[in-house]
Amino acid sequence: MVLDIIGVVVTWIAVAVAAWFLGLWMVKVFQGERTFLHPVLRPAERGAYRLMGIDEKSEQSWVGYTVSMLIVSFVSFLFTYVLLRLQGHLPFNDFGLNPQGFGPVASDLAFNTAVSFTTNTNWQNYTGEQTMSYLSQMLALVVHNFLSAAVGIAIAIALFRGLANKTTKSLGNFYVDVTRATLYVLLPISILGAIILVSQGTIQTIGPYVEAHTLEGAKQLIAVGPFASQEAIKDLGNNGGGPFNANSAHPFENPNGFTNQFELFLELLIPFALVVTFGKWVGRVREGLAIGAAMAILLVAFTVIAAIAEQSGNPALSNAGADQARTATQAAGNMEGKEVRFGPIYSAQFLATTTGTSTGSVNSSHDSMTPVGGLVALVQMQLGEIDPGGIGAGIYFMLVFVVLSVFIAGLMVGRTPEYLGKKIESKEVRLAMLAILIDVFSILGLTAIAVLTKAGQAGPLNSGPHGFSEILYQFSSATANNGSAFAGLTGNTLFYNTTGAAAMWIGRFLEHIPILAMAGALAGKKVVPAGSGTFATDRPLFVGLLIGVVLIVGALTFFPALALGPILEQLQLAAGHLH
Amino acid sequence: MEDRQRQERRNLRRGRTSSLTDRTILLPALGGAFTKLNPLRMVRNPVMFVVEVGSVITTVVFMLDLFNGTPGFSGANNQLFVGQIAAWLWLTVLFANFAEAVAEGRGKAQAAALRRTRSDTIARRLVDGKEDRIPSTQLRKGDVVVCEVGDVIPGDGDVIEGIASVDESAITGESAPVIREAGGDRSAVTGGTRVLSDRIVVQITANPGQTFLDRMINLVESASRRKTPNEIALNILLAALTIIFMVATVTLQPFAIYAGTSVTITVLIALLVCLIPTTIGGLLSAIGIAGIDRLLQRNVVALSGRAVEAAGDVDTLLLDKTGTITYGNRQASEFIPAPGVPMNRLLEAAELASLADETPEGKSIVALARRLGAAAASNGGDGMTFVPFSASTRMSGVDVDSHSIRKGADDAMARWSANELPAEVAERVAMIGRSGGTPLVVGEDHVVLGTIHLKDIVKPGIRDRFAELRRMGLRTVMITGDNPLTAAAIARESGVDDFLAQATPERKLELIKNEQGQGRMIAMTGDGTNDAPALAQADVAVAMNSGTQAAKEAGNLIDLDSDPTKLIEIVEAGKQMLITRGALTTFSIANDVAKYFAIIPAIFIGTTVGELKALNVMQLHSSNSAVLAAVIFNALIIIALVPLALRGVRYRPIGAAALLRNNLLIYGIGGIIAPFIGIKLIDLIITAIGLSA
């Protein structure tokens, strides 16, 4: 167990070190400074602007930025929807990239999937290896793995500009930010990542599925594909939609302990790096580090809780006399739904990381976690994912909580609240609260509709509180654009495909509008110079305050729902009340 | 009558009327709490409006079941429980209304005192040189009136002719009469004040209903009270939190049904009311009114709540040197004898030369010389001939017997002594000049005896005050007409952060705009007409009541005592108001943790999901007692915090970091812990007296 813990900690340290350098790199990239990759990438960047007809010097207001974001997202959504519907009907067996000859994807599933990938959710109501051709995987889906991640980064950068700009209302240029995010950040790291994954055995081929003969002489079809390249951006871009249904529990995606930790490293890298970018951008790295510290403390706390819960195992089994104690030969704990390769602690870390970020890839079955483990996943998603959160989304949603913390407690130093010298006034408060309201409405509202309707009640496989958790998880995951699932829920139904898609839209685009509007409201505001009377937001005290506000304002709202879901389940398991 | 008014005003000013013990405020406030139940009024406060709606619904549930005799609507709850919940919800609303009414009451008492002075008077209007008598209410802007001894000035205006002493105690509570004269900065008169001597002609500057007195009455009665920007933002936060908790409570019902049980409407409403931020929602407007009141007690009239709020945000204080930092006139601070001259001889000569000098400088020379040991020479003794100061000789003094004693500027004295000044004296003179002081040379019979150092005396304690302001995060800038040399010396001595020397109205305005351009908020005081542009530009502009009408129009706060050092207290009052708001908001939100732990397990005790009783960490007695205890705590905490809301959280200039740490500890951590204890205690009590039903 000590080695497991060391493995967990070493991963975090690696993230911290790499995030620092990547964060500084991103400042250069998005401020248009020259980098060592310029000789190679600058021509491609220029070409892209020419192709799109973009003047890279032109700047956008928050409205222009938002409209561009919505247009790009909608067009790319249509592209994916159409491509999925045409699967199997394109010439030459989909250009030779459909060796298994899969037919078109059903319309509601294609709709749900297109929304899912556009919104960086990657909720998968399909089984990849039985539904998607290589063309669909590579073109219809992976495009979004890059694009949606780049959009997330772009919006975070726009918010940084809003907080830093003193004289102009401009938030930059959406197209330029997305292009740079893709070219200078996502592509180089994914290429490196893919090479590392291939070296460890992650599969990468466009050949057809392999037929194997088992010892009994039976024939078995083994799914393969060009997946190492997909795997890298899946984690780096916080997408989470794996080519295989088993996701990172599948040995072709995640072959060994090293790749497991490497994937977690990729998931955490950009969200933490953006914290450094933010600090540098607004002129004080400490400001960013304070936010990063709050994120890290929450992530560590949630990881520890999940790890303890999983290692302790199922109380009902303990009561029944099962031996769940760890020994030299068995990892023990709650091993239901877990890979023996990873065991409870690495699985718990994966769970906490994938739901603390907006990744949603899994290396174990979340549905089979102990209720407390499931609670950790639910809470992190319901918070809007801020520890460290989705790519871009993490820091901009955390900044919403920062604005609220400053507003609620900042008055206590005897000044009207200000953050980074900018006054937080009714407009910012309204937009910040709107962002939180949207989250709450979507998760609780849709869950309520589901439990009230026959179609919704038909979803969960389990009865009792666990069934309720499955529904709650669906809408928490979709709204937070996470994409992981309590697989006990039958999601590929008309009801869940559409309500799930609605939650993903709401959680992504409805959420983006107030955040960009807030960036617009902050941009151009005069900056009050800091003095001894101003509220310091780069101190440990503020980190504590921020965590408190996140937990009280963000999480307590869900307390009644959580009480009837995972909390009740845990209590019932302990009491031997099984369903 | 007048004496009583004056006494009332003084009492108010000194804060002797503690509104929480004053029956004249408390009793009307009780009535006010009920009249404020009007839903049209309540809807302006979304949090408390939700509580009122909840009260109505629970009351209806209670009534229906009472009359039907069946627990059809109250469901699993018995009627005693529903009745108690309804009663406590009403009390929650009433407590909040009461808090607001008490805060308003203090202003109302003050307004009543003011209104008594506004009794209609007869104005003596001058039309084409002829007087006609009309009621003061018919006066219009531009009219010209005459006021003589004993007349009450019928309206606000400017003296355009004459000079008079005026009793302004009705407005300021100060009994010493003030001089008002045509032209200059002392020309403004206020309606309702009384002329004590002489005759003045006044041009009216305000139409009836818009006079200073009217505006003051309006303000203190809060009739024209508008929400301040920060109040609006806070209201948005509170409204949004209310919506969030409504979603959380409304969706709880379907979740409970899915879990095979259900929650009664009474309990759902109880949960909602406990979760929404009623503590701050109920006290917010009282805090705002109390902030204005606190200034009023210090004799500062805030013309808008916004100004008080802005005062908390001020970054830079512009302070006039004269009157604020220094006493305003040069005083003797040191005697330096010429070589070979005994100190005593210089002291006595200086004293004699100044005996007849009635200027503050002269008096200070006499006083200091006597303190340092000069024998007190009697004024006007035999053989004394005083030589007054004249612009041509630039010296003054006295001839005693055959001796002539003079003091004067160094060059004039050099001429008088028909010699160059001794080198040591000349050097000393130059030194004093360099330090910003004024040197006076003393001589007897054409022999120079030494030098007197005259300087602006910085008020004692002002240095500490500036250090305190620095700790508050405020920068101080001294404004003076002095030359840069003198200004720098005073700035150094007083510890002010910066200064503007040779200030003109234009340069003042420029300085303010410059500071504002860097994002700073500026506060200043002013009284003259030429201060008006700067006052209008400043974020917090305190006009002296003794100042001109133009200055008063341009300011957003008026200091009735005309004391420029008040600025510091005004800033403190602003900060105090903001801190109180923040503290109660934090407290209110932090309280929710305990309330969840009281109510959520309580709802499900004894149902299909009874295992949730493990969350009953407070070990509350029963489902009903838990809900009731939470609701009672929620109501009582409002009334318990009324004194804090009215008095304000104390502001100490210990720097933002320490302030935040202390307040977070008290109101944040305290806000989490307090309700656990409070709810448990209430649960024990209601269980003991059998109300937990």
Side-chain angles (χ1 to χ4, degrees):
Chain A
M1 192 160 74
V2 174
L3 284 178
D4 288 12
I5 294 170
I6 292 173
V8 168
V9 173
V10 165
T11 314
W12 283 335
I13 293 171
V15 170
V17 173
W20 174 262
F21 291 105
L22 180 61
L24 297 180
W25 167 261
M26 284 195 284
V27 176
K28 280 180 135 187
V29 166
F30 292 102
Q31 293 187 343
E33 280 176 45
R34 211 183 144 74
T35 64
F36 76 90
L37 286 179
H38 260 59
V40 188
L41 293 177
R42 183 65 185 158
E45 188 190 345
R46 277 220 202 85
Y49 298 145
R50 249 200 306 280
L51 207 66
M52 294 187 283
I54 300 296
D55 170 15
E56 66 175 308
K57 294 266 181 322
S58 75
E59 306 239 303
Q60 292 173 307
S61 69
W62 81 265
V63 178
Y65 208 94
T66 310
V67 170
S68 303
M69 182 270 294
L70 290 175
I71 290 174
V72 166
S73 301
F74 186 70
V75 169
S76 62
F77 152 77
L78 272 186
F79 168 77
T80 296
Y81 179 78
V82 169
L83 211 61
L84 293 181
R85 295 290 291 148
L86 289 179
Q87 180 173 282
H89 294 301
L90 294 169
F92 317 116
N93 196 12
D94 294 2
F95 312 104
L97 289 171
N98 190 357
Q100 303 311 118
F102 293 129
V105 180
S107 64
D108 61 331
L109 181 60
F111 174 73
N112 183 288
T113 306
V115 170
S116 164
F117 276 74
T118 311
T119 54
N120 193 257
T121 314
N122 296 23
W123 178 277
Q124 294 167 294
N125 273 344
Y126 59 88
T127 301
E129 60 271 34
Q130 291 168 16
T131 319
M132 297 294 171
S133 70
Y134 295 162
L135 182 78
S136 297
Q137 295 272 20
M138 291 196 296
L139 203 56
L141 304 183
V142 173
V143 160
H144 285 291
N145 284 0
F146 282 95
L147 188 59
S148 66
V151 168
I153 297 177
I155 290 170
I157 298 288
L159 185 54
F160 300 170
R161 288 204 184 95
L163 277 161
N165 284 358
K166 293 165 194 165
T167 46
T168 120
K169 298 290 277 176
S170 142
L171 296 183
N173 186 312
F174 174 77
Y175 299 100
V176 172
D177 290 340
V178 167
T179 308
R180 288 186 180 154
T182 311
L183 278 179
Y184 293 90
V185 182
L186 298 174
L187 264 178
I189 303 175
S190 323
I191 291 171
L192 271 178
I195 293 169
I196 291 171
L197 286 171
V198 167
S199 78
Q200 295 300 308
T202 306
I203 202 145
Q204 180 81 2
T205 169
I206 54 170
Y209 291 178
V210 178
E211 218 177 72
H213 298 274
T214 64
L215 281 177
E216 303 96 64
K219 273 204 282 189
Q220 189 184 356
L221 197 61
I222 297 175
V224 294
F227 295 153
S229 53
Q230 194 171 343
E231 190 65 20
I233 187 64
K234 174 193 104 177
D235 296 310
L236 179 70
N238 275 199
N239 297 287
F244 293 107
N245 189 42
N247 210 297
S248 286
H250 196 296
F252 284 176
E253 280 196 37
N254 187 8
N256 57 36
F258 172 76
T259 55
N260 191 61
Q261 297 311 100
F262 182 63
E263 289 185 6
L264 293 183
F265 168 84
L266 287 179
E267 288 178 22
L268 294 170
L269 180 59
I270 296 181
F272 273 117
L274 277 170
V275 159
V276 177
T277 311
F278 167 71
K280 196 83 185 160
W281 200 291
V282 298
R284 276 174 66 90
V285 180
R286 283 179 59 123
E287 298 283 354
L289 296 185
I291 292 178
M295 291 172 163
I297 289 169
L298 284 167
L299 177 68
V300 170
F302 281 125
T303 306
V304 168
I305 293 170
I308 290 173
E310 294 312 311
Q311 188 64 62
S312 311
N314 183 336
L317 289 179
S318 303
N319 291 346
D323 175 18
Q324 297 186 80
R326 195 179 174 102
T327 64
T329 50
Q330 67 164 15
N334 171 30
M335 279 302 289
E336 179 192 317
K338 289 188 178 60
E339 281 286 297
V340 179
R341 290 175 293 155
F342 305 131
I345 291 183
Y346 285 135
S347 300
Q349 190 195 8
F350 208 110
L351 166 115
T353 307
T354 201
T355 52
T357 64
S358 82
T359 315
S361 61
V362 295
N363 77 345
S364 64
S365 167
H366 286 191
D367 202 27
S368 301
M369 289 278 173
T370 60
V372 171
L375 177 76
V376 164
L378 277 167
V379 170
Q380 284 186 299
M381 294 187 295
Q382 288 163 348
L383 286 176
E385 290 164 347
I386 35 83
D387 59 329
I391 180 162
I395 182 140
Y396 64 63
F397 211 69
M398 194 56 144
L399 284 169
V400 165
F401 280 111
V402 167
V403 163
L404 285 180
S405 307
V406 166
F407 186 78
I408 291 169
L411 280 170
M412 287 196 292
V413 303
R415 289 175 69 92
T416 60
E418 58 205 19
Y419 181 57
L420 302 176
K422 297 207 169 192
K423 286 237 177 292
I424 304 300
E425 292 163 302
S426 46
K427 200 166 181 183
E428 290 78 29
V429 173
R430 184 180 312 129
L431 294 167
M433 286 311 287
L434 193 60
I436 291 179
L437 258 177
I438 289 169
D439 192 56
V440 171
F441 255 105
S442 177
I443 295 175
L444 291 181
L446 288 169
T447 304
I449 291 172
V451 300
L452 284 177
T453 54
K454 280 237 144 45
Q457 289 164 357
L461 198 67
N462 301 77
S463 60
H466 194 73
F468 177 71
S469 295
E470 286 171 349
I471 300 175
L472 184 64
Y473 197 103
Q474 146 86 26
F475 293 108
S476 302
S477 171
T479 304
N481 297 143
N482 184 275
S484 66
F486 261 14
L489 188 93
T490 308
N492 190 10
T493 64
L494 186 62
F495 177 84
Y496 281 107
N497 274 336
T498 45
T499 49
M504 291 186 271
W505 268 117
I506 294 170
R508 181 77 169 179
F509 298 113
L510 224 52
E511 201 73 273
H512 277 175
I513 295 171
I515 283 161
L516 282 169
M518 192 163 88
L522 288 165
K525 261 197 190 186
K526 260 192 274 180
V527 170
V528 184
S532 62
T534 41
F535 182 97
T537 48
D538 57 353
R539 304 264 175 83
L541 184 65
F542 180 74
V543 175
L545 169 69
L546 180 59
I547 292 174
V549 168
V550 163
L551 293 179
I552 292 179
V553 176
L556 268 192
T557 321
F558 298 98
F559 185 75
L562 294 170
L564 287 171
I567 296 175
L568 177 62
E569 189 188 352
Q570 183 79 28
L571 294 171
Q572 290 187 337
L573 279 183
H577 180 170
L578 304 177
H579 291 268
Chain B
M1 166 77 189
E2 261 172 49
D3 281 350
R4 214 185 87 211
Q5 275 174 26
R6 205 174 287 153
Q7 193 56 44
E8 276 174 10
R9 293 228 18 106
R10 277 212 205 102
N11 282 347
L12 284 169
R13 177 156 50 109
R14 292 177 191 151
R16 269 199 212 134
T17 50
S18 163
S19 46
L20 279 173
T21 51
D22 186 342
R23 217 179 273 191
T24 55
I25 289 175
L26 276 189
L27 290 178
L30 280 176
F34 283 91
T35 50
K36 282 172 188 288
L37 286 175
N38 177 359
L40 292 176
R41 276 190 65 116
M42 291 293 300
V43 80
R44 287 179 52 201
N45 181 344
V47 180
M48 295 319 288
F49 182 69
V50 167
V51 182
E52 188 175 31
V53 171
S55 318
V56 171
I57 295 174
T58 46
T59 308
V60 169
V61 167
F62 174 68
M63 294 290 189
L64 284 177
D65 286 348
L66 186 70
F67 299 139
N68 291 337
T70 57
F73 292 91
S74 35
N77 306 126
N78 68 49
Q79 289 176 37
L80 179 61
F81 171 75
V82 179
Q84 284 188 81
I85 294 284
W88 280 106
L89 293 187
W90 281 117
L91 282 174
T92 309
V93 186
L94 287 171
F95 287 163
N97 287 349
F98 176 72
E100 192 181 83
V102 170
E104 285 171 352
R106 196 149 47 172
K108 283 209 177 106
Q110 193 135 7
L114 287 171
R115 196 175 278 119
R116 275 195 285 279
T117 67
R118 203 182 50 175
S119 51
D120 287 346
T121 47
I122 297 297
R124 297 160 61 187
R125 185 168 61 165
L126 278 181
V127 182
D128 300 329
K130 268 185 285 179
E131 242 186 74
D132 61 6
R133 291 176 169 263
I134 59 165
S136 61
T137 48
Q138 288 176 20
L139 281 175
R140 288 290 173 275
K141 216 166 157 172
D143 285 349
V144 174
V145 297
V146 179
C147 300
E148 281 180 320
V149 181
D151 286 349
V152 171
I153 297 175
D156 293 2
D158 283 320
V159 179
I160 53 174
E161 194 187 312
I163 177 168
S165 58
V166 178
D167 171 12
E168 293 195 339
S169 60
I171 303 288
T172 63
E174 203 51 64
S175 53
V178 293
I179 302 294
R180 294 283 174 245
E181 60 183 330
D185 289 346
R186 291 188 298 175
S187 64
V189 289
T190 310
T193 57
R194 187 177 296 271
V195 176
L196 294 179
S197 72
D198 306 287
R199 171 184 189 272
I200 46 174
V201 178
V202 174
Q203 181 159 37
I204 299 297
T205 53
N207 287 328
Q210 292 161 19
T211 62
F212 182 59
L213 205 57
D214 290 316
R215 271 157 67 201
M216 249 175 91
I217 291 171
N218 252 341
L219 281 162
V220 295
E221 281 192 331
S222 58
S224 64
R225 208 176 66 83
R226 284 218 305 268
K227 285 194 179 122
T228 60
N230 177 255
E231 240 180 316
I232 293 171
L234 202 48
N235 256 310
I236 290 171
L237 175 84
L238 301 182
L241 284 174
T242 306
I243 298 173
I244 287 177
F245 288 123
M246 278 172 91
V247 176
T249 15
V250 168
T251 54
L252 179 58
Q253 184 71 302
F255 299 167
I257 292 171
Y258 186 82
T261 172
S262 75
V263 190
T264 63
I265 181 130
T266 311
V267 171
L268 276 182
I269 290 174
L271 173 64
L272 175 63
V273 169
C274 285
L275 293 181
I276 62 177
T278 46
T279 313
I280 179 66
L283 295 174
L284 185 57
S285 77
I287 295 169
I289 300 169
I292 296 178
D293 269 353
R294 271 196 300 278
L295 279 179
L296 211 50
Q297 281 168 31
R298 291 167 185 172
N299 247 8
V300 176
V301 181
L303 298 182
S304 71
R306 205 187 186 114
V308 186
E309 199 173 283
D313 279 353
V314 163
D315 302 284
T316 308
L317 293 185
L318 301 191
L319 299 168
D320 274 330
K321 183 199 78 176
T322 309
T324 312
I325 297 171
T326 67
Y327 284 111
N329 35 49
R330 288 150 193 276
Q331 298 189 357
S333 69
E334 201 184 350
F335 295 93
I336 309 106
V341 178
M343 175 59 106
N344 228 33
R345 194 167 165 216
L346 171 65
L347 291 178
E348 268 156 26
E351 186 199 358
L352 283 170
S354 306
L355 270 181
D357 186 347
E358 284 298 315
T359 62
E361 287 91 342
K363 282 182 182 164
S364 78
I365 293 171
V366 173
L368 185 67
R370 284 185 184 161
R371 207 165 61 237
L372 292 177
S378 63
N379 193 354
D382 296 334
M384 275 193 185
T385 320
F386 292 107
V387 181
F389 178 85
S390 82
S392 57
T393 61
R394 292 173 54 222
M395 60 176 81
S396 63
V398 64
D399 289 336
V400 188
D401 306 326
S402 56
H403 301 289
S404 61
I405 302 171
R406 295 288 183 276
K407 69 176 198 294
D410 52 325
D411 52 337
M413 290 299 287
R415 228 178 305 121
W416 175 72
S417 69
N419 253 323
E420 289 202 358
L421 291 178
E424 289 86 350
V425 175
E427 196 180 304
R428 193 47 85 121
V429 164
M431 246 174 70
I432 293 171
R434 273 201 303 278
S435 75
T438 309
L440 278 185
V441 176
V442 182
E444 187 176 343
D445 298 335
H446 306 279
V447 176
V448 169
L449 296 179
T451 321
I452 307 173
H453 186 170
L454 288 180
K455 68 176 197 182
D456 240 351
I457 299 293
V458 170
K459 287 186 174 175
I462 201 88
R463 211 188 162 84
D464 295 338
R465 209 71 203 265
F466 288 149
E468 189 181 315
L469 284 169
R470 248 189 304 283
R471 282 198 299 278
M472 285 162 72
L474 269 72
R475 217 166 67 89
T476 43
V477 179
M478 178 180 82
I479 308 287
T480 169
D482 290 344
N483 63 52
L485 212 64
T486 314
I490 305 257
R492 228 180 0 260
E493 195 184 336
S494 63
V496 76
D497 295 318
D498 201 356
F499 64 87
L500 177 72
Q502 286 164 343
T504 59
E506 294 77 37
R507 293 195 56 195
K508 256 195 223 182
L509 190 60
E510 198 183 313
L511 174 75
I512 294 176
K513 283 185 173 162
N514 196 10
E515 290 273 318
Q516 285 173 337
Q518 294 166 36
R520 297 205 175 89
M521 300 262 283
I522 315 297
M524 70 170 287
T525 56
D527 54 2
T529 300
N530 60 15
D531 285 330
L535 283 171
Q537 181 71 32
D539 302 284
V540 174
V542 187
M544 303 290 108
N545 188 47
S546 61
T548 61
Q549 206 65 40
K552 280 152 92 174
E553 291 282 332
N556 46 20
L557 293 148
I558 293 177
D559 178 16
L560 300 175
D561 295 341
S562 305
D563 170 11
T565 52
K566 277 278 184 66
L567 204 45
I568 295 166
E569 292 176 20
I570 291 170
V571 170
E572 281 178 357
K575 288 197 179 292
Q576 206 181 7
M577 185 177 80
L578 293 173
I579 292 174
T580 311
R581 261 187 216 157
L584 293 187
T585 306
T586 307
F587 185 81
S588 199
I589 293 172
N591 270 337
D592 277 357
V593 180
K595 290 170 182 170
Y596 269 120
F597 278 98
I599 298 184
I600 294 294
I603 291 177
F604 297 111
I605 287 177
T607 68
T608 48
V609 292
E611 288 90 350
L612 284 175
K613 69 174 184 291
L615 295 179
N616 183 6
V617 290
M618 284 174 268
Q619 300 290 312
L620 301 178
H621 176 255
S622 69
S623 170
N624 281 357
S625 77
V627 176
L628 203 50
V631 170
I632 294 175
F633 175 83
N634 194 51
L636 290 182
I637 197 72
I638 295 181
I639 211 78
L641 290 173
V642 168
L644 184 71
L646 295 184
R647 200 182 57 233
V649 174
R650 204 154 70 90
Y651 171 75
R652 283 182 305 150
I654 49 176
L659 208 56
L660 181 68
R661 191 186 54 232
N662 293 354
N663 286 334
L664 263 184
L665 209 65
I666 299 170
Y667 300 99
I669 307 291
I672 292 175
I673 296 169
F676 277 103
I677 300 168
I679 291 174
K680 177 68 188 173
L681 282 177
I682 295 171
D683 179 76
L684 288 174
I685 294 168
I686 55 180
T687 308
I689 59 178
L691 284 176
S692 61

